[in-house]
PDB file of all heavy atoms in Angstrom:
ATOM      1  N   GLY A   1     -58.457  65.854  41.228  1.00  0.00           N
ATOM      2  CA  GLY A   1     -59.066  67.087  41.653  1.00  0.00           C
ATOM      3  C   GLY A   1     -58.128  67.867  42.541  1.00  0.00           C
ATOM      4  O   GLY A   1     -56.910  68.115  42.222  1.00  0.00           O
ATOM      5  N   SER A   2     -58.564  68.207  43.727  1.00  0.00           N
ATOM      6  CA  SER A   2     -57.707  68.897  44.723  1.00  0.00           C
ATOM      7  C   SER A   2     -57.158  67.919  45.765  1.00  0.00           C
ATOM      8  O   SER A   2     -56.420  68.383  46.675  1.00  0.00           O
ATOM      9  CB  SER A   2     -58.521  70.018  45.398  1.00  0.00           C
ATOM     10  OG  SER A   2     -59.620  69.418  46.001  1.00  0.00           O
ATOM     11  N   PHE A   3     -57.426  66.645  45.536  1.00  0.00           N
ATOM     12  CA  PHE A   3     -57.001  65.606  46.520  1.00  0.00           C
ATOM     13  C   PHE A   3     -55.638  65.102  46.124  1.00  0.00           C
ATOM     14  O   PHE A   3     -55.440  64.572  45.057  1.00  0.00           O
ATOM     15  CB  PHE A   3     -57.997  64.478  46.644  1.00  0.00           C
ATOM     16  CG  PHE A   3     -57.629  63.449  47.687  1.00  0.00           C
ATOM     17  CD1 PHE A   3     -57.815  63.691  49.018  1.00  0.00           C
ATOM     18  CD2 PHE A   3     -57.126  62.226  47.229  1.00  0.00           C
ATOM     19  CE1 PHE A   3     -57.502  62.774  49.942  1.00  0.00           C
ATOM     20  CE2 PHE A   3     -56.760  61.246  48.219  1.00  0.00           C
ATOM     21  CZ  PHE A   3     -56.964  61.536  49.535  1.00  0.00           C
ATOM     22  N   ASP A   4     -54.659  65.193  47.086  1.00  0.00           N
ATOM     23  CA  ASP A   4     -53.317  64.677  46.873  1.00  0.00           C
ATOM     24  C   ASP A   4     -53.254  63.190  47.203  1.00  0.00           C
ATOM     25  O   ASP A   4     -53.626  62.762  48.372  1.00  0.00           O
ATOM     26  CB  ASP A   4     -52.339  65.418  47.754  1.00  0.00           C
ATOM     27  CG  ASP A   4     -50.841  65.028  47.430  1.00  0.00           C
ATOM     28  OD1 ASP A   4     -50.687  64.052  46.780  1.00  0.00           O
ATOM     29  OD2 ASP A   4     -50.000  65.831  47.875  1.00  0.00           O
ATOM     30  N   LEU A   5     -52.989  62.370  46.208  1.00  0.00           N
ATOM     31  CA  LEU A   5     -53.038  60.926  46.368  1.00  0.00           C
ATOM     32  C   LEU A   5     -52.058  60.387  47.428  1.00  0.00           C
ATOM     33  O   LEU A   5     -52.197  59.313  47.968  1.00  0.00           O
ATOM     34  CB  LEU A   5     -52.846  60.237  45.050  1.00  0.00           C
ATOM     35  CG  LEU A   5     -54.001  60.360  44.064  1.00  0.00           C
ATOM     36  CD1 LEU A   5     -53.660  59.679  42.752  1.00  0.00           C
ATOM     37  CD2 LEU A   5     -55.302  59.777  44.628  1.00  0.00           C
ATOM     38  N   LYS A   6     -51.055  61.183  47.748  1.00  0.00           N
ATOM     39  CA  LYS A   6     -50.074  60.768  48.765  1.00  0.00           C
ATOM     40  C   LYS A   6     -50.710  60.588  50.115  1.00  0.00           C
ATOM     41  O   LYS A   6     -50.217  59.869  50.979  1.00  0.00           O
ATOM     42  CB  LYS A   6     -48.925  61.760  48.879  1.00  0.00           C
ATOM     43  CG  LYS A   6     -47.975  61.717  47.613  1.00  0.00           C
ATOM     44  CD  LYS A   6     -46.685  62.400  47.979  1.00  0.00           C
ATOM     45  CE  LYS A   6     -46.767  63.881  48.243  1.00  0.00           C
ATOM     46  NZ  LYS A   6     -47.131  64.647  47.052  1.00  0.00           N
ATOM     47  N   GLN A   7     -51.855  61.261  50.312  1.00  0.00           N
ATOM     48  CA  GLN A   7     -52.559  61.163  51.590  1.00  0.00           C
ATOM     49  C   GLN A   7     -53.173  59.768  51.804  1.00  0.00           C
ATOM     50  O   GLN A   7     -53.561  59.454  52.903  1.00  0.00           O
ATOM     51  CB  GLN A   7     -53.662  62.158  51.615  1.00  0.00           C
ATOM     52  CG  GLN A   7     -53.121  63.647  51.651  1.00  0.00           C
ATOM     53  CD  GLN A   7     -54.261  64.687  51.715  1.00  0.00           C
ATOM     54  OE1 GLN A   7     -55.272  64.476  52.391  1.00  0.00           O
ATOM     55  NE2 GLN A   7     -54.127  65.765  50.991  1.00  0.00           N
ATOM     56  N   LEU A   8     -53.256  58.931  50.711  1.00  0.00           N
ATOM     57  CA  LEU A   8     -53.835  57.596  50.819  1.00  0.00           C
ATOM     58  C   LEU A   8     -52.819  56.573  51.405  1.00  0.00           C
ATOM     59  O   LEU A   8     -53.189  55.482  51.759  1.00  0.00           O
ATOM     60  CB  LEU A   8     -54.308  57.127  49.439  1.00  0.00           C
ATOM     61  CG  LEU A   8     -55.483  57.838  48.824  1.00  0.00           C
ATOM     62  CD1 LEU A   8     -55.674  57.312  47.395  1.00  0.00           C
ATOM     63  CD2 LEU A   8     -56.759  57.540  49.708  1.00  0.00           C
ATOM     64  N   ILE A   9     -51.516  56.959  51.308  1.00  0.00           N
ATOM     65  CA  ILE A   9     -50.411  55.910  51.618  1.00  0.00           C
ATOM     66  C   ILE A   9     -50.651  55.393  53.006  1.00  0.00           C
ATOM     67  O   ILE A   9     -50.676  54.135  53.185  1.00  0.00           O
ATOM     68  CB  ILE A   9     -49.010  56.534  51.483  1.00  0.00           C
ATOM     69  CG1 ILE A   9     -48.806  56.851  50.051  1.00  0.00           C
ATOM     70  CG2 ILE A   9     -47.935  55.602  51.999  1.00  0.00           C
ATOM     71  CD1 ILE A   9     -47.460  57.603  49.750  1.00  0.00           C
ATOM     72  N   VAL A  10     -50.726  56.209  54.032  1.00  0.00           N
ATOM     73  CA  VAL A  10     -50.832  55.665  55.452  1.00  0.00           C
ATOM     74  C   VAL A  10     -52.133  54.913  55.670  1.00  0.00           C
ATOM     75  O   VAL A  10     -52.088  53.794  56.233  1.00  0.00           O
ATOM     76  CB  VAL A  10     -50.639  56.874  56.460  1.00  0.00           C
ATOM     77  CG1 VAL A  10     -51.017  56.320  57.851  1.00  0.00           C
ATOM     78  CG2 VAL A  10     -49.175  57.355  56.420  1.00  0.00           C
ATOM     79  N   PRO A  11     -53.316  55.389  55.286  1.00  0.00           N
ATOM     80  CA  PRO A  11     -54.559  54.593  55.429  1.00  0.00           C
ATOM     81  C   PRO A  11     -54.483  53.271  54.728  1.00  0.00           C
ATOM     82  O   PRO A  11     -54.997  52.256  55.280  1.00  0.00           O
ATOM     83  CB  PRO A  11     -55.607  55.496  54.863  1.00  0.00           C
ATOM     84  CG  PRO A  11     -55.172  56.920  54.969  1.00  0.00           C
ATOM     85  CD  PRO A  11     -53.593  56.780  54.820  1.00  0.00           C
ATOM     86  N   LEU A  12     -53.877  53.241  53.619  1.00  0.00           N
ATOM     87  CA  LEU A  12     -53.795  52.031  52.804  1.00  0.00           C
ATOM     88  C   LEU A  12     -52.882  51.011  53.541  1.00  0.00           C
ATOM     89  O   LEU A  12     -53.136  49.792  53.677  1.00  0.00           O
ATOM     90  CB  LEU A  12     -53.248  52.187  51.412  1.00  0.00           C
ATOM     91  CG  LEU A  12     -54.170  52.818  50.433  1.00  0.00           C
ATOM     92  CD1 LEU A  12     -53.502  53.202  49.120  1.00  0.00           C
ATOM     93  CD2 LEU A  12     -55.391  51.886  50.167  1.00  0.00           C
ATOM     94  N   LEU A  13     -51.797  51.523  54.099  1.00  0.00           N
ATOM     95  CA  LEU A  13     -50.856  50.615  54.873  1.00  0.00           C
ATOM     96  C   LEU A  13     -51.583  50.121  56.104  1.00  0.00           C
ATOM     97  O   LEU A  13     -51.374  48.929  56.493  1.00  0.00           O
ATOM     98  CB  LEU A  13     -49.625  51.447  55.308  1.00  0.00           C
ATOM     99  CG  LEU A  13     -48.611  51.543  54.143  1.00  0.00           C
ATOM    100  CD1 LEU A  13     -47.522  52.616  54.642  1.00  0.00           C
ATOM    101  CD2 LEU A  13     -47.899  50.293  53.943  1.00  0.00           C
ATOM    102  N   GLN A  14     -52.350  50.933  56.823  1.00  0.00           N
ATOM    103  CA  GLN A  14     -53.094  50.527  58.023  1.00  0.00           C
ATOM    104  C   GLN A  14     -54.108  49.400  57.611  1.00  0.00           C
ATOM    105  O   GLN A  14     -54.291  48.410  58.371  1.00  0.00           O
ATOM    106  CB  GLN A  14     -53.768  51.686  58.598  1.00  0.00           C
ATOM    107  CG  GLN A  14     -52.824  52.661  59.284  1.00  0.00           C
ATOM    108  CD  GLN A  14     -53.445  53.960  59.723  1.00  0.00           C
ATOM    109  OE1 GLN A  14     -54.432  54.486  59.021  1.00  0.00           O
ATOM    110  NE2 GLN A  14     -53.013  54.481  60.843  1.00  0.00           N
ATOM    111  N   ALA A  15     -54.699  49.532  56.423  1.00  0.00           N
ATOM    112  CA  ALA A  15     -55.626  48.471  56.002  1.00  0.00           C
ATOM    113  C   ALA A  15     -54.904  47.187  55.748  1.00  0.00           C
ATOM    114  O   ALA A  15     -55.383  46.100  56.089  1.00  0.00           O
ATOM    115  CB  ALA A  15     -56.313  49.002  54.654  1.00  0.00           C
ATOM    116  N   ILE A  16     -53.666  47.281  55.134  1.00  0.00           N
ATOM    117  CA  ILE A  16     -52.914  46.087  54.911  1.00  0.00           C
ATOM    118  C   ILE A  16     -52.490  45.467  56.231  1.00  0.00           C
ATOM    119  O   ILE A  16     -52.583  44.167  56.391  1.00  0.00           O
ATOM    120  CB  ILE A  16     -51.642  46.432  54.145  1.00  0.00           C
ATOM    121  CG1 ILE A  16     -52.008  46.905  52.720  1.00  0.00           C
ATOM    122  CG2 ILE A  16     -50.622  45.253  54.090  1.00  0.00           C
ATOM    123  CD1 ILE A  16     -50.801  47.515  51.975  1.00  0.00           C
ATOM    124  N   MET A  17     -52.042  46.242  57.165  1.00  0.00           N
ATOM    125  CA  MET A  17     -51.674  45.692  58.504  1.00  0.00           C
ATOM    126  C   MET A  17     -52.856  45.093  59.214  1.00  0.00           C
ATOM    127  O   MET A  17     -52.694  44.109  59.982  1.00  0.00           O
ATOM    128  CB  MET A  17     -50.971  46.732  59.326  1.00  0.00           C
ATOM    129  CG  MET A  17     -49.597  47.192  58.795  1.00  0.00           C
ATOM    130  SD  MET A  17     -48.451  45.751  58.553  1.00  0.00           S
ATOM    131  CE  MET A  17     -47.496  46.371  57.208  1.00  0.00           C
ATOM    132  N   PHE A  18     -54.055  45.755  59.082  1.00  0.00           N
ATOM    133  CA  PHE A  18     -55.206  45.132  59.719  1.00  0.00           C
ATOM    134  C   PHE A  18     -55.438  43.761  59.113  1.00  0.00           C
ATOM    135  O   PHE A  18     -55.776  42.852  59.858  1.00  0.00           O
ATOM    136  CB  PHE A  18     -56.412  46.109  59.539  1.00  0.00           C
ATOM    137  CG  PHE A  18     -57.753  45.471  60.010  1.00  0.00           C
ATOM    138  CD1 PHE A  18     -58.054  45.492  61.284  1.00  0.00           C
ATOM    139  CD2 PHE A  18     -58.584  44.924  59.045  1.00  0.00           C
ATOM    140  CE1 PHE A  18     -59.292  44.935  61.724  1.00  0.00           C
ATOM    141  CE2 PHE A  18     -59.797  44.369  59.492  1.00  0.00           C
ATOM    142  CZ  PHE A  18     -60.082  44.365  60.861  1.00  0.00           C
ATOM    143  N   GLY A  19     -55.321  43.698  57.816  1.00  0.00           N
ATOM    144  CA  GLY A  19     -55.549  42.406  57.123  1.00  0.00           C
ATOM    145  C   GLY A  19     -54.486  41.396  57.638  1.00  0.00           C
ATOM    146  O   GLY A  19     -54.851  40.204  57.787  1.00  0.00           O
ATOM    147  N   MET A  20     -53.235  41.821  57.918  1.00  0.00           N
ATOM    148  CA  MET A  20     -52.254  40.880  58.368  1.00  0.00           C
ATOM    149  C   MET A  20     -52.669  40.437  59.752  1.00  0.00           C
ATOM    150  O   MET A  20     -52.539  39.274  60.092  1.00  0.00           O
ATOM    151  CB  MET A  20     -50.903  41.655  58.457  1.00  0.00           C
ATOM    152  CG  MET A  20     -49.769  40.876  59.036  1.00  0.00           C
ATOM    153  SD  MET A  20     -48.252  41.817  59.045  1.00  0.00           S
ATOM    154  CE  MET A  20     -47.127  40.629  59.833  1.00  0.00           C
ATOM    155  N   GLY A  21     -53.253  41.366  60.549  1.00  0.00           N
ATOM    156  CA  GLY A  21     -53.691  40.976  61.849  1.00  0.00           C
ATOM    157  C   GLY A  21     -54.818  39.955  61.879  1.00  0.00           C
ATOM    158  O   GLY A  21     -54.813  38.996  62.711  1.00  0.00           O
ATOM    159  N   THR A  22     -55.773  40.134  60.932  1.00  0.00           N
ATOM    160  CA  THR A  22     -56.898  39.255  60.851  1.00  0.00           C
ATOM    161  C   THR A  22     -56.471  37.773  60.437  1.00  0.00           C
ATOM    162  O   THR A  22     -57.155  36.839  60.697  1.00  0.00           O
ATOM    163  CB  THR A  22     -57.931  39.651  59.851  1.00  0.00           C
ATOM    164  OG1 THR A  22     -57.363  39.697  58.523  1.00  0.00           O
ATOM    165  CG2 THR A  22     -58.492  41.022  60.196  1.00  0.00           C
ATOM    166  N   ALA A  23     -55.247  37.674  59.788  1.00  0.00           N
ATOM    167  CA  ALA A  23     -54.715  36.385  59.395  1.00  0.00           C
ATOM    168  C   ALA A  23     -53.830  35.758  60.448  1.00  0.00           C
ATOM    169  O   ALA A  23     -53.256  34.731  60.188  1.00  0.00           O
ATOM    170  CB  ALA A  23     -54.042  36.512  57.994  1.00  0.00           C
ATOM    171  N   MET A  24     -53.571  36.496  61.559  1.00  0.00           N
ATOM    172  CA  MET A  24     -52.709  36.021  62.530  1.00  0.00           C
ATOM    173  C   MET A  24     -53.420  35.612  63.828  1.00  0.00           C
ATOM    174  O   MET A  24     -54.630  35.907  63.963  1.00  0.00           O
ATOM    175  CB  MET A  24     -51.656  37.138  62.924  1.00  0.00           C
ATOM    176  CG  MET A  24     -50.700  37.520  61.791  1.00  0.00           C
ATOM    177  SD  MET A  24     -49.750  38.998  62.206  1.00  0.00           S
ATOM    178  CE  MET A  24     -48.876  38.432  63.678  1.00  0.00           C
ATOM    179  N   SER A  25     -52.720  34.950  64.669  1.00  0.00           N
ATOM    180  CA  SER A  25     -53.274  34.667  66.050  1.00  0.00           C
ATOM    181  C   SER A  25     -52.110  34.570  66.964  1.00  0.00           C
ATOM    182  O   SER A  25     -50.890  34.663  66.561  1.00  0.00           O
ATOM    183  CB  SER A  25     -54.039  33.355  65.982  1.00  0.00           C
ATOM    184  OG  SER A  25     -53.149  32.211  65.834  1.00  0.00           O
ATOM    185  N   VAL A  26     -52.388  34.382  68.266  1.00  0.00           N
ATOM    186  CA  VAL A  26     -51.321  34.269  69.194  1.00  0.00           C
ATOM    187  C   VAL A  26     -50.373  33.071  68.918  1.00  0.00           C
ATOM    188  O   VAL A  26     -49.199  33.080  69.283  1.00  0.00           O
ATOM    189  CB  VAL A  26     -51.940  34.174  70.667  1.00  0.00           C
ATOM    190  CG1 VAL A  26     -50.803  33.964  71.681  1.00  0.00           C
ATOM    191  CG2 VAL A  26     -52.763  35.375  70.994  1.00  0.00           C
ATOM    192  N   LYS A  27     -50.958  32.067  68.294  1.00  0.00           N
ATOM    193  CA  LYS A  27     -50.171  30.902  67.851  1.00  0.00           C
ATOM    194  C   LYS A  27     -48.966  31.210  67.004  1.00  0.00           C
ATOM    195  O   LYS A  27     -47.980  30.547  66.953  1.00  0.00           O
ATOM    196  CB  LYS A  27     -51.073  29.906  67.188  1.00  0.00           C
ATOM    197  CG  LYS A  27     -52.165  29.257  68.055  1.00  0.00           C
ATOM    198  CD  LYS A  27     -53.004  28.331  67.273  1.00  0.00           C
ATOM    199  CE  LYS A  27     -54.116  27.710  68.108  1.00  0.00           C
ATOM    200  NZ  LYS A  27     -54.947  26.808  67.330  1.00  0.00           N
ATOM    201  N   ASP A  28     -49.117  32.307  66.231  1.00  0.00           N
ATOM    202  CA  ASP A  28     -47.981  32.709  65.329  1.00  0.00           C
ATOM    203  C   ASP A  28     -46.759  33.160  66.104  1.00  0.00           C
ATOM    204  O   ASP A  28     -45.686  33.147  65.583  1.00  0.00           O
ATOM    205  CB  ASP A  28     -48.450  33.908  64.429  1.00  0.00           C
ATOM    206  CG  ASP A  28     -49.478  33.463  63.420  1.00  0.00           C
ATOM    207  OD1 ASP A  28     -49.288  32.297  62.935  1.00  0.00           O
ATOM    208  OD2 ASP A  28     -50.370  34.162  63.057  1.00  0.00           O
ATOM    209  N   PHE A  29     -46.940  33.451  67.385  1.00  0.00           N
ATOM    210  CA  PHE A  29     -45.760  33.844  68.282  1.00  0.00           C
ATOM    211  C   PHE A  29     -45.260  32.686  69.056  1.00  0.00           C
ATOM    212  O   PHE A  29     -44.280  32.831  69.774  1.00  0.00           O
ATOM    213  CB  PHE A  29     -46.232  35.025  69.154  1.00  0.00           C
ATOM    214  CG  PHE A  29     -46.546  36.244  68.435  1.00  0.00           C
ATOM    215  CD1 PHE A  29     -47.930  36.406  68.008  1.00  0.00           C
ATOM    216  CD2 PHE A  29     -45.662  37.230  68.099  1.00  0.00           C
ATOM    217  CE1 PHE A  29     -48.251  37.594  67.347  1.00  0.00           C
ATOM    218  CE2 PHE A  29     -45.989  38.403  67.400  1.00  0.00           C
ATOM    219  CZ  PHE A  29     -47.297  38.538  67.013  1.00  0.00           C
ATOM    220  N   ALA A  30     -45.898  31.541  68.967  1.00  0.00           N
ATOM    221  CA  ALA A  30     -45.538  30.411  69.762  1.00  0.00           C
ATOM    222  C   ALA A  30     -44.209  29.825  69.390  1.00  0.00           C
ATOM    223  O   ALA A  30     -43.492  29.207  70.213  1.00  0.00           O
ATOM    224  CB  ALA A  30     -46.564  29.315  69.606  1.00  0.00           C
ATOM    225  N   GLY A  31     -43.806  30.135  68.137  1.00  0.00           N
ATOM    226  CA  GLY A  31     -42.470  29.621  67.685  1.00  0.00           C
ATOM    227  C   GLY A  31     -41.273  30.216  68.428  1.00  0.00           C
ATOM    228  O   GLY A  31     -40.219  29.586  68.483  1.00  0.00           O
ATOM    229  N   VAL A  32     -41.492  31.347  69.123  1.00  0.00           N
ATOM    230  CA  VAL A  32     -40.426  31.933  69.940  1.00  0.00           C
ATOM    231  C   VAL A  32     -40.091  31.005  71.108  1.00  0.00           C
ATOM    232  O   VAL A  32     -39.007  30.842  71.420  1.00  0.00           O
ATOM    233  CB  VAL A  32     -40.917  33.309  70.488  1.00  0.00           C
ATOM    234  CG1 VAL A  32     -39.858  33.914  71.385  1.00  0.00           C
ATOM    235  CG2 VAL A  32     -41.296  34.239  69.375  1.00  0.00           C
ATOM    236  N   VAL A  33     -41.166  30.291  71.643  1.00  0.00           N
ATOM    237  CA  VAL A  33     -40.964  29.427  72.725  1.00  0.00           C
ATOM    238  C   VAL A  33     -40.452  28.027  72.207  1.00  0.00           C
ATOM    239  O   VAL A  33     -39.556  27.453  72.828  1.00  0.00           O
ATOM    240  CB  VAL A  33     -42.289  29.241  73.496  1.00  0.00           C
ATOM    241  CG1 VAL A  33     -42.102  28.181  74.675  1.00  0.00           C
ATOM    242  CG2 VAL A  33     -42.746  30.595  74.075  1.00  0.00           C
ATOM    243  N   LYS A  34     -40.976  27.618  71.094  1.00  0.00           N
ATOM    244  CA  LYS A  34     -40.631  26.291  70.543  1.00  0.00           C
ATOM    245  C   LYS A  34     -39.295  26.268  69.978  1.00  0.00           C
ATOM    246  O   LYS A  34     -38.554  25.254  70.118  1.00  0.00           O
ATOM    247  CB  LYS A  34     -41.689  25.859  69.509  1.00  0.00           C
ATOM    248  CG  LYS A  34     -43.070  25.668  70.033  1.00  0.00           C
ATOM    249  CD  LYS A  34     -44.019  25.287  68.938  1.00  0.00           C
ATOM    250  CE  LYS A  34     -45.484  25.081  69.462  1.00  0.00           C
ATOM    251  NZ  LYS A  34     -46.402  24.707  68.326  1.00  0.00           N
ATOM    252  N   THR A  35     -38.860  27.332  69.220  1.00  0.00           N
ATOM    253  CA  THR A  35     -37.572  27.315  68.583  1.00  0.00           C
ATOM    254  C   THR A  35     -36.777  28.637  68.910  1.00  0.00           C
ATOM    255  O   THR A  35     -36.642  29.391  67.887  1.00  0.00           O
ATOM    256  CB  THR A  35     -37.759  27.066  67.116  1.00  0.00           C
ATOM    257  OG1 THR A  35     -38.580  28.057  66.557  1.00  0.00           O
ATOM    258  CG2 THR A  35     -38.282  25.711  66.772  1.00  0.00           C
ATOM    259  N   PRO A  36     -36.518  28.918  70.104  1.00  0.00           N
ATOM    260  CA  PRO A  36     -35.941  30.184  70.447  1.00  0.00           C
ATOM    261  C   PRO A  36     -34.606  30.454  69.745  1.00  0.00           C
ATOM    262  O   PRO A  36     -34.279  31.550  69.399  1.00  0.00           O
ATOM    263  CB  PRO A  36     -35.707  30.151  71.980  1.00  0.00           C
ATOM    264  CG  PRO A  36     -35.708  28.645  72.296  1.00  0.00           C
ATOM    265  CD  PRO A  36     -36.663  28.053  71.276  1.00  0.00           C
ATOM    266  N   GLN A  37     -33.769  29.402  69.534  1.00  0.00           N
ATOM    267  CA  GLN A  37     -32.513  29.563  68.921  1.00  0.00           C
ATOM    268  C   GLN A  37     -32.649  30.021  67.448  1.00  0.00           C
ATOM    269  O   GLN A  37     -31.978  30.944  66.983  1.00  0.00           O
ATOM    270  CB  GLN A  37     -31.662  28.299  68.946  1.00  0.00           C
ATOM    271  CG  GLN A  37     -30.271  28.483  68.407  1.00  0.00           C
ATOM    272  CD  GLN A  37     -29.452  27.186  68.548  1.00  0.00           C
ATOM    273  OE1 GLN A  37     -29.914  26.241  68.984  1.00  0.00           O
ATOM    274  NE2 GLN A  37     -28.194  27.277  68.108  1.00  0.00           N
ATOM    275  N   ALA A  38     -33.491  29.370  66.707  1.00  0.00           N
ATOM    276  CA  ALA A  38     -33.824  29.663  65.335  1.00  0.00           C
ATOM    277  C   ALA A  38     -34.375  31.083  65.194  1.00  0.00           C
ATOM    278  O   ALA A  38     -33.901  31.877  64.255  1.00  0.00           O
ATOM    279  CB  ALA A  38     -34.718  28.688  64.709  1.00  0.00           C
ATOM    280  N   VAL A  39     -35.305  31.408  66.065  1.00  0.00           N
ATOM    281  CA  VAL A  39     -35.856  32.840  65.953  1.00  0.00           C
ATOM    282  C   VAL A  39     -34.750  33.838  66.322  1.00  0.00           C
ATOM    283  O   VAL A  39     -34.685  34.884  65.698  1.00  0.00           O
ATOM    284  CB  VAL A  39     -36.998  32.961  66.948  1.00  0.00           C
ATOM    285  CG1 VAL A  39     -37.549  34.377  67.024  1.00  0.00           C
ATOM    286  CG2 VAL A  39     -38.181  32.014  66.519  1.00  0.00           C
ATOM    287  N   GLY A  40     -34.027  33.524  67.341  1.00  0.00           N
ATOM    288  CA  GLY A  40     -32.875  34.474  67.677  1.00  0.00           C
ATOM    289  C   GLY A  40     -31.904  34.695  66.533  1.00  0.00           C
ATOM    290  O   GLY A  40     -31.481  35.825  66.264  1.00  0.00           O
ATOM    291  N   ILE A  41     -31.549  33.596  65.847  1.00  0.00           N
ATOM    292  CA  ILE A  41     -30.587  33.674  64.776  1.00  0.00           C
ATOM    293  C   ILE A  41     -31.215  34.490  63.664  1.00  0.00           C
ATOM    294  O   ILE A  41     -30.584  35.370  63.034  1.00  0.00           O
ATOM    295  CB  ILE A  41     -30.206  32.281  64.214  1.00  0.00           C
ATOM    296  CG1 ILE A  41     -29.315  31.611  65.267  1.00  0.00           C
ATOM    297  CG2 ILE A  41     -29.435  32.404  62.917  1.00  0.00           C
ATOM    298  CD1 ILE A  41     -29.062  30.132  64.959  1.00  0.00           C
ATOM    299  N   GLY A  42     -32.468  34.246  63.371  1.00  0.00           N
ATOM    300  CA  GLY A  42     -33.200  34.905  62.315  1.00  0.00           C
ATOM    301  C   GLY A  42     -33.274  36.382  62.553  1.00  0.00           C
ATOM    302  O   GLY A  42     -33.035  37.290  61.670  1.00  0.00           O
ATOM    303  N   LEU A  43     -33.602  36.816  63.814  1.00  0.00           N
ATOM    304  CA  LEU A  43     -33.736  38.238  64.108  1.00  0.00           C
ATOM    305  C   LEU A  43     -32.414  38.900  64.083  1.00  0.00           C
ATOM    306  O   LEU A  43     -32.265  40.112  63.610  1.00  0.00           O
ATOM    307  CB  LEU A  43     -34.350  38.375  65.522  1.00  0.00           C
ATOM    308  CG  LEU A  43     -35.905  38.121  65.630  1.00  0.00           C
ATOM    309  CD1 LEU A  43     -36.295  38.164  67.067  1.00  0.00           C
ATOM    310  CD2 LEU A  43     -36.593  39.239  64.858  1.00  0.00           C
ATOM    311  N   LEU A  44     -31.363  38.197  64.546  1.00  0.00           N
ATOM    312  CA  LEU A  44     -29.996  38.817  64.509  1.00  0.00           C
ATOM    313  C   LEU A  44     -29.544  39.080  63.086  1.00  0.00           C
ATOM    314  O   LEU A  44     -29.000  40.135  62.751  1.00  0.00           O
ATOM    315  CB  LEU A  44     -29.009  37.861  65.203  1.00  0.00           C
ATOM    316  CG  LEU A  44     -27.548  38.390  65.303  1.00  0.00           C
ATOM    317  CD1 LEU A  44     -27.510  39.629  66.161  1.00  0.00           C
ATOM    318  CD2 LEU A  44     -26.683  37.288  65.897  1.00  0.00           C
TER     319      LEU A  44
END
C-alpha cells in the first residue's frame, strides 16, 4: 500500500537483539575474566 517496507528494518533488528538478550546472562561475559588472553586475541 503506502507503507514502505524499509521502515521495518530497524524494529526487526531490535526484536532480534532483544531475543539475543533474553538468551544471554551476565555469565556470558565471565569469559573475559576466565580467559582474558583468548578474548583479547579474538577481539584484536
Side-chain angles (χ1 to χ4, degrees):
S2 59
F3 182 75
D4 189 342
L5 290 177
K6 290 197 295 291
Q7 295 179 38
L8 291 174
I9 293 175
V10 171
L12 286 172
L13 282 168
Q14 290 170 325
I16 293 169
M17 293 303 153
F18 174 79
M20 180 179 176
T22 62
M24 293 170 63
S25 70
V26 177
K27 294 179 181 178
D28 291 323
F29 297 88
V32 179
V33 177
K34 293 179 179 178
T35 56
Q37 183 179 5
V39 174
I41 291 171
L43 285 174
L44 183 62

